[in-house]
Amino acid sequence: MPPPAPPDLILAYRRLLRAGLRAVQFAKPARMILTAKLRAGFRDPRGVFDVEAVRRTVWFLNSAAGRRGIEHRILKNLCRVEWERRQGATWKVRLRGERVREERGRVLTGCVKRDPNIIQGTEYEHYERTIDMLNKTFRLCLR
């Protein structure tokens, strides 16, 4: 059984959860994504607890909840990308052109057929680097 969490850790988790739920306005898919990501972040054994980063992230989430500015759009896109990752339907399916449909007896393809192994495993590399740079620049703890 793991040792009990320090009160600072519990308080930080509750603050992030409360601010995050307010920011996503308790909407069902975003709410579930937010709680899952928050749990995963606090259960990560390699994670580092930074009080200042938590404070700034709570400020960021409160700002996203308060008005529909850049913070709101960033949080909305973070939730959307994570939801699409979990669904398994990403932009790469459309890029490869594997979805073939028939309309009125003729076969239509969206794109030219490409080799699926070219981008396999690297689809979200640029996205994750961008989030890491955002976290380093503003000293946040977004995932």
Side-chain angles (χ1 to χ4, degrees), residues 13 17 20-41 43 75 78-84 86-87 143:
Y13 179 83
L17 181 63
L21 289 175
R22 262 188 260 125
V24 298
Q25 299 174 355
F26 297 92
K28 197 160 200 172
R31 175 180 67 197
M32 292 179 183
I33 294 296
L34 178 80
T35 55
K37 292 294 275 183
L38 195 58
R39 285 180 187 151
R43 289 179 180 162
L75 183 64
L78 284 172
C79 291
R80 171 77 185 255
V81 168
E82 185 61 30
W83 181 78
E84 286 185 1
R86 291 177 187 220
Q87 297 296 317
R143 287 182 175 229

Side-chain angles (χ1 to χ4, degrees), residues 47-127:
V48 178
F49 182 63
D50 184 9
V51 177
E52 181 64 23
V54 169
R55 186 180 70 79
R56 287 174 178 260
T57 305
V58 169
W59 171 81
F60 181 85
L61 293 172
N62 285 334
S63 180
R67 56 191 170 91
R68 293 182 59 130
I70 188 80
E71 296 90 354
H72 179 77
R73 285 185 280 167
I74 289 172
L75 183 64
K76 182 177 162 182
N77 286 328
L78 284 172
C79 291
R80 171 77 185 255
V81 168
E82 185 61 30
W83 181 78
E84 286 185 1
R85 269 183 165 179
R86 291 177 187 220
Q87 297 296 317
T90 59
W91 58 270
K92 69 179 179 177
V93 172
R94 290 186 289 271
L95 178 68
R96 290 189 305 204
E98 288 183 354
R99 300 244 172 150
V100 177
R101 57 189 172 130
E102 290 184 348
E103 282 186 13
R104 298 184 196 141
R106 45 180 203 193
V107 178
L108 301 175
T109 57
C111 301
V112 177
K113 193 120 172 157
R114 296 187 179 160
D115 185 16
N117 295 328
I118 293 173
I119 58 173
Q120 188 157 3
T122 61
E123 305 93 24
Y124 294 103
E125 188 175 318
H126 187 267
Y127 168 78

